[in-house]
Amino acid sequence: MDRKTATIQDVARIAGVSTATVSRTLSKPSVVAKSTREAVLDAVAETGYRVNATASNLRRQRTGTVIVLLPNLANPFFSQILAGLASVLTPAQLGMLIADTQSGPDPEERLRHYLTSGQADGLILLDGTLSPEALAIPGRPPVVLACEWMGHDLPSVRVENARGAALAVGHLARLGHRRIGHVTGPRGNVLTETRLEGFCAALQELGLPLDDHWVLEGDFSMDSGAAAGRAWLGMTDRPTALFLSSDEMAIGFLGEVQRAGIRVPEDVSIVGFDNIEIAQHLSPGLTTIRQPRTQIGVRAAELLLAMIETGSLTGPSELIEVEFIVRGSAGVPPA
Amino acid sequence: MDRKTATIQDVARIAGVSTATVSRTLSKPSVVAKSTREAVLDAVAETGYRVNATASNLRRQRTGTVIVLLPNLANPFFSQILAGLASVLTPAQLGMLIADTQSGPDPEERLRHYLTSGQADGLILLDGTLSPEALAIPGRPPVVLACEWMGHDLPSVRVENARGAALAVGHLARLGHRRIGHVTGPRGNVLTETRLEGFCAALQELGLPLDDHWVLEGDFSMDSGAAAGRAWLGMTDRPTALFLSSDEMAIGFLGEVQRAGIRVPEDVSIVGFDNIEIAQHLSPGLTTIRQPRTQIGVRAAELLLAMIETGSLTGPSELIEVEFIVRGSAGVPPA
DNA sequence: TTCATACTTGTAAACGATTACATTCTTTGT
DNA sequence: ACAAAGAATGTAATCGTTTACAAGTATGAA
């Protein structure tokens, strides 16, 4: 058909109107007369015109992009969140620029860069390790935190992390466990700390002992879960149950101890966090705490969208419920 | 400091030169005199000026974006490929717009849309289900296929899929298996077909029987692997080993049969495909075929980058080697 | 008839960069 | 000393939209 893509000028000429009218027809159809609207739409169809997003963005002083900053793109936990984000952002004509903080040298510097570069209309931050101080930049775009964050009133989407930990402890206690261990995420991470606090508070409430040796530090990865498994195997005074701060770590732990001949849940009970897809396909199925990841993405995107449209830097936060999922990996303690 | 972000005009004024000189200083420093260059760079530093990518793109008739089209964002298999893509595209000032074909109704229509909308300087296609006919669009941007694709000379990054299947069959045959089954991906998908062909050819070459009942159709997902597991459990004439076209399916299969009391590899041997991270953390570890996913992403991005820079619609293809990974899930057949 | 009001539409100035072309100032060879 | 070539810089058009403002037309009330 057309050698080059049609511009708004072409459409205007063919429809016999001005470019202003074409633009209006496309953005606010209600303000143009029905007959003109039809003529314009016909011309659009005839030329196959599509608005040039770059020109539109330039004129409207926006970028058409939001940046999503997450710790590690290769972590499957985030892919569903991304899917949720995309489902809201794409219809709003916003592209997602995805960047991870681990690939570069200085994550906080990266964050600062994105905030100052003016390359985005907004930013969604999924990394709980970055300190919120880095957000104190004048003229920055709106930011939504899609993870727990303490002591700041920035808009965020969080899940009931402490409650999730309490649910896990409660379940294990009800099964009869009195020696319950915990594998944390990386220290300093807000998710780590919140879940750890929830864990300790729940133990205390139930009058259960807390041994420092039973709290192992991980980093949410399967490898660190496997390392925790080796540590557990080497203990003289093993807890009979463990709550792990991520399903990935639970998987690593499970595989490691199973390969050492330990039976789950007969010899040790484990509870994970996240309910990633694979949890139900393990043997035994992984008892865990479900986070609705797609929903987290959707809500974060909606929050950000509202801020972008109103030009506001603040907004409401959202607390998303968790749900306890009982499968086979937690049972009664060994006799 | 500045209420608004500085423009090239501000820099020009402060440096006492024209905007043309500022632009040249930033893009081709060699053509401006040393003294002016320094003055300009000082002014840039003073104002904190950063070029407005939108304006630059508009003038240069590009978009600064490449679209990555994949079947399903929530599939962890793709996240590492994305990481590889990002590591090349980001330094080249290109953002990635990630879209999945499964969320909308008509994937081919989506593809056509992206190709005609002029919203991207290039496109990377990771979905082997889409037919290449949809690419026959005049004036479309360069495209790189990052998956197997038959009968087309479009630039692509592929892995040795058929050889991977042959490696799996060879390994199982060497262990003594004579009744080997296969769980495929979705029919019509090029990966599915190529691996199936490789599987059949290898069986034939080794003089092993091929029973149609032993070839089950899956869709690469864990759920479909679990379904295949149930189908296998219900067979009267079970194969002693199975090659599954994805690790995810292998995981689903493994969990399903293990929960039914089947021991792996004593009762049945399984081999997967992909070597996703979790493969090594299962119990038993999953014997599989490794695809270097980050590398696939990196090479695809490099290919596309070269095409964008030369303005060419064709380019070389790349074949990436696979590697057989021996773990515990395949052993000698039961007596 | 006449004026106010509401509707439509057009005019033209941005948005912020890039770059072809023109201009000015140096060199350098003869 | 002068023309030609080269180097450095400036001028201004351009990329494709959006939108404030102006201008025109129709409608209805007085």
Side-chain angles (χ1 to χ4, degrees):
Chain A
M1 297 280 191
D2 324 296
R3 213 87 196 91
K4 306 257 159 200
T5 56
T7 75
I8 201 173
Q9 315 272 0
D10 302 323
V11 177
R13 186 164 8 86
I14 292 180
V17 299
S18 72
T19 61
T21 300
V22 176
S23 179
R24 278 189 288 252
T25 307
L26 266 21
S27 51
K28 310 191 213 159
S30 64
V31 306
V32 319
K34 184 149 173 271
S35 57
T36 3
R37 194 191 315 153
E38 282 163 0
V40 170
L41 293 178
D42 283 351
V44 166
E46 181 182 339
T47 54
Y49 168 75
R50 331 197 65 131
V51 341
N52 179 319
T54 308
S56 171
N57 287 335
L58 174 58
R59 173 59 226 237
R60 292 163 63 195
Q61 298 276 68
R62 44 170 260 171
T63 66
T65 304
V66 334
I67 290 171
V68 181
L69 210 51
L70 39 77
N72 177 14
L73 229 184
N75 184 335
F77 179 78
F78 294 106
S79 48
Q80 267 184 35
I81 295 186
L82 291 179
L85 290 170
S87 73
V88 173
L89 263 18
T90 305
Q93 295 274 43
L94 286 168
M96 298 194 311
L97 201 66
I98 298 172
D100 63 352
T101 48
Q102 280 183 6
S103 66
D106 184 347
E108 303 233 339
E109 177 49 36
R110 293 277 297 285
L111 175 56
R112 204 185 320 278
H113 169 79
Y114 285 123
L115 254 20
T116 52
S117 64
Q119 288 180 15
D121 297 329
L123 188 142
I124 287 179
L125 191 49
L126 295 168
D127 188 335
T129 310
L130 267 34
S131 100
E133 274 75 46
L135 296 177
I137 287 175
R140 69 160 170 80
V143 173
V144 168
L145 313 173
C147 48
E148 190 90 5
W149 218 311
M150 296 165 296
H152 274 267
D153 55 352
L154 287 162
S156 67
V157 176
R158 354 174 143 194
V159 300
E160 307 169 314
N161 284 295
R163 177 156 173 272
L167 287 173
V169 171
H171 181 74
L172 291 168
R174 227 168 295 122
L175 286 167
H177 292 274
R178 292 194 47 83
R179 298 152 48 144
I180 303 176
H182 179 40
V183 182
T184 72
R187 277 296 159 86
N189 180 300
V190 279
L191 299 175
T192 298
E193 303 300 338
T194 315
R195 291 174 194 170
L196 176 58
E197 281 170 27
F199 173 79
C200 295
L203 283 186
Q204 196 155 28
E205 182 143 337
L206 295 166
L208 295 177
L210 170 58
D211 188 320
D212 278 354
H213 295 98
W214 295 346
V215 176
L216 303 169
E217 180 177 351
D219 63 6
F220 292 136
S221 73
M222 289 189 247
D223 282 343
S224 73
R230 285 189 293 277
W232 180 84
L233 287 168
M235 288 183 185
T236 53
D237 183 33
R238 296 176 181 163
T240 61
L242 287 115
F243 163 52
L244 297 101
S245 201
S246 79
D247 281 357
E248 302 231 326
M249 292 196 296
I251 290 167
F253 186 97
L254 183 70
E256 191 72 19
V257 301
Q258 280 182 336
R259 278 192 298 268
I262 301 290
R263 292 164 307 155
V264 177
E266 291 82 356
D267 300 326
V268 63
S269 289
I270 67 177
V271 175
F273 204 114
D274 287 348
N275 191 38
I276 63 179
E277 195 197 353
I278 196 176
Q280 64 177 301
H281 289 289
L282 296 171
S283 170
L286 183 61
T287 294
T288 190
I289 292 132
R290 185 175 96 91
Q291 291 196 60
R293 289 176 288 160
T294 307
Q295 195 192 342
I296 294 173
V298 167
R299 296 300 296 134
E302 289 173 348
L303 254 40
L304 186 66
L305 209 53
M307 291 168 73
I308 291 175
E309 278 165 6
T310 63
S312 161
L313 287 185
T314 60
S317 287
E318 187 112 358
L319 186 64
I320 293 186
E321 289 188 7
V322 297
E323 180 188 357
F324 197 72
I325 309 276
V326 177
R327 298 204 181 88
S329 67
V332 297
Chain B
M1 296 281 189
D2 323 295
R3 213 84 197 92
K4 308 250 159 205
T5 58
T7 75
I8 200 172
Q9 315 273 358
D10 302 325
V11 177
R13 186 164 9 87
I14 291 178
V17 299
S18 72
T19 63
T21 300
V22 176
S23 179
R24 279 189 287 254
T25 306
L26 265 21
S27 50
K28 310 190 213 160
S30 64
V31 306
V32 318
K34 185 149 173 274
S35 56
T36 6
R37 194 190 317 153
E38 282 163 359
V40 169
L41 293 179
D42 283 351
V44 167
E46 182 183 337
T47 56
Y49 169 74
R50 330 196 67 131
V51 336
N52 178 321
T54 307
S56 172
N57 287 334
L58 174 59
R59 173 60 226 241
R60 293 163 62 195
Q61 299 275 70
R62 45 167 261 169
T63 67
T65 304
V66 334
I67 290 170
V68 180
L69 210 51
L70 39 76
N72 178 13
L73 231 185
N75 184 333
F77 178 78
F78 293 106
S79 49
Q80 267 185 33
I81 295 186
L82 291 178
L85 290 169
S87 72
V88 174
L89 262 19
T90 306
Q93 295 275 41
L94 287 168
M96 299 194 311
L97 202 65
I98 299 173
D100 62 350
T101 50
Q102 280 182 6
S103 66
D106 184 347
E108 303 233 339
E109 177 49 36
R110 293 277 296 285
L111 174 57
R112 203 186 319 277
H113 169 78
Y114 285 124
L115 254 20
T116 53
S117 64
Q119 289 182 12
D121 297 330
L123 188 142
I124 287 179
L125 191 49
L126 294 168
D127 187 336
T129 310
L130 267 35
S131 101
E133 274 76 46
L135 296 178
I137 287 175
R140 69 161 171 80
V143 173
V144 168
L145 312 172
C147 50
E148 191 90 4
W149 218 310
M150 296 165 296
H152 275 267
D153 55 353
L154 287 162
S156 66
V157 176
R158 351 172 146 198
V159 301
E160 307 170 315
N161 284 294
R163 177 155 173 275
L167 287 172
V169 172
H171 181 75
L172 291 170
R174 226 169 297 121
L175 286 167
H177 292 274
R178 292 192 50 79
R179 299 153 46 144
I180 303 177
H182 179 40
V183 181
T184 71
R187 277 299 158 84
N189 181 298
V190 281
L191 299 174
T192 298
E193 304 299 338
T194 317
R195 290 173 193 171
L196 176 58
E197 281 169 27
F199 173 77
C200 296
L203 283 185
Q204 197 157 29
E205 183 144 334
L206 294 167
L208 295 177
L210 171 59
D211 188 320
D212 278 354
H213 295 99
W214 295 347
V215 176
L216 303 169
E217 179 176 352
D219 62 6
F220 292 136
S221 73
M222 287 190 251
D223 283 342
S224 72
R230 285 188 293 277
W232 179 85
L233 288 168
M235 287 183 186
T236 53
D237 182 33
R238 295 175 180 164
T240 60
L242 287 114
F243 162 53
L244 297 100
S245 202
S246 79
D247 280 357
E248 300 231 328
M249 292 196 295
I251 290 167
F253 187 97
L254 183 69
E256 191 71 21
V257 301
Q258 279 182 337
R259 276 192 298 268
I262 301 288
R263 292 165 307 157
V264 178
E266 290 82 356
D267 301 324
V268 63
S269 288
I270 68 177
V271 175
F273 203 115
D274 288 347
N275 192 35
I276 62 179
E277 194 197 353
I278 196 178
Q280 65 177 300
H281 288 289
L282 296 171
S283 170
L286 183 61
T287 295
T288 191
I289 292 132
R290 187 176 93 93
Q291 292 195 60
R293 289 176 289 162
T294 306
Q295 195 192 341
I296 293 172
V298 168
R299 296 300 295 135
E302 289 174 348
L303 254 40
L304 186 66
L305 209 53
M307 293 168 71
I308 290 174
E309 276 166 6
T310 64
S312 161
L313 287 186
T314 60
S317 285
E318 187 111 358
L319 187 64
I320 293 187
E321 289 188 5
V322 297
E323 180 188 356
F324 197 73
I325 309 277
V326 178
R327 296 203 181 90
S329 66
V332 297

